[in-house]
Amino acid sequence: ALRKSCALLVRGRFGGQPLYFARDTGGAVVVCSRLAPLISMLRRPFRLDVRRLAAVMLTATRAEFERTVYEGVSRVTSGEILVVSTVGIKALGRRPRPPPAQVRNAAEAAEELRARLLRTVARVTKGAKRVAVCASGGVDSSAVLGAAVAVARGASRREAEVIAMALDFGGPGDDRPYLEALSDSLGIVPIRLGPMEFALPERSAPHTAITSFAR
C-alpha cells in the first residue's frame, strides 16, 4: 500500500508469504516477496551476513527474525506494521495474538478447534456466491471443505455453491478413497484434475510482486 512518499508494509499475525525490503544507492526503497529478484533489481553488491547465516544453519529457533542472510536487506516479521520512507522506518506496533483457548480435555479442544475453523471459513467466504476448495482427502483439506459446506448450507439468504477440486493421481496409500467417502458424506461431486491439467505453460513464470518508490 503506497501512501504519498512512503509505503505501508504489513504481515499477518501468523506469517504467510515473506516480505523483504532494502535501499538502493540512490535512496529508493525496493520491496519484494522474494529475495533473488530484489537483489537483482538493486544492482549493487551485497555482503553475506555470515553470523546470520550461521545462526540459520545451526539453530532450530532463531531470534532477530527481521534480519536476512544479506546485510542491508530486512524482512517484515509476523504481525508487524512498518511505514517505510526515504526518511526512515517507523514501526506502528504489532497486532496481539488471540489468547489461547481455555480447554480441559480432548473433547473441549476438538469443539473449540471446530468452532474456530467455522468462524474463519465464514469470515473469508462472506458474501461469496461460489467457494472453491482444493481438497485431497487428507485431514486438513477435508476439514476446510466440510466447514465450507456447513457454512454455505447454513447461509441465511442464499446458499453458496461449494466446489471441491482435487489433484487426482494414484500412488501407494493415496487419499483418493478418503475423498470419495467425504464427497459421498457431504453430497457433492468433486472436480478431479490430473497433474498435467495443473501444469503451467512453458512461457509462464511464477508471479513475483516487486514494488519500488524513489525519493
Side-chain angles (χ1 to χ4, degrees):
L2 295 175
R3 293 183 174 181
K4 296 182 180 179
S5 61
C6 63
L8 186 66
L9 308 184
V10 183
R11 282 189 74 199
R13 291 175 294 180
F14 302 106
Q17 183 149 338
L19 193 58
Y20 306 100
F21 62 96
R23 295 183 185 276
D24 66 10
T25 53
V29 177
V30 179
V31 183
C32 185
S33 57
R34 294 172 58 201
L35 270 174
L38 185 145
I39 298 297
S40 176
M41 186 175 181
L42 290 172
R43 296 180 181 177
R44 67 180 177 89
F46 278 93
R47 294 179 55 187
L48 285 175
D49 188 336
V50 179
R51 293 178 62 87
R52 178 60 177 169
L53 188 59
V56 171
M57 296 173 63
L58 297 177
T59 62
T61 55
R62 306 180 293 273
E64 299 179 314
F65 289 102
E66 70 280 0
R67 292 174 60 186
T68 69
V69 296
Y70 291 100
E71 293 183 358
V73 180
S74 301
R75 173 193 291 106
V76 183
T77 59
S78 300
E80 191 171 40
I81 304 172
L82 298 177
V83 177
V84 181
S85 68
T86 54
V87 177
I89 302 171
K90 179 181 179 182
L92 298 184
R94 299 173 181 269
R95 293 187 62 187
R97 294 184 179 180
Q102 301 298 317
V103 295
R104 294 171 293 182
N105 51 52
E108 289 186 2
E111 184 58 34
E112 176 68 19
L113 179 60
R114 178 178 180 275
R116 291 195 179 202
L117 180 59
L118 286 171
R119 288 198 302 268
T120 301
V121 171
R123 183 178 71 249
V124 300
T125 61
K126 183 178 180 181
K129 296 180 180 179
R130 292 184 180 86
V131 177
V133 179
C134 187
S136 65
V139 175
D140 297 340
S141 61
S142 296
V144 174
L145 178 59
V149 171
V151 169
R153 292 176 179 172
S156 57
R157 294 186 179 181
R158 183 181 183 277
E159 182 176 313
E161 179 185 5
V162 176
I163 303 168
M165 304 183 68
L167 179 58
D168 189 66
F169 61 94
D174 65 73
D175 291 330
R176 292 187 299 172
Y178 306 111
L179 179 62
E180 188 73 31
L182 177 65
S183 302
D184 291 343
S185 175
L186 296 175
I188 61 175
V189 178
I191 299 173
R192 301 178 184 274
L193 301 171
M196 288 302 297
E197 295 176 90
F198 272 88
L200 292 172
E202 290 185 5
R203 288 179 292 180
S204 298
H207 173 70
T208 301
I210 299 179
T211 303
S212 66
F213 57 98
R215 186 183 303 274

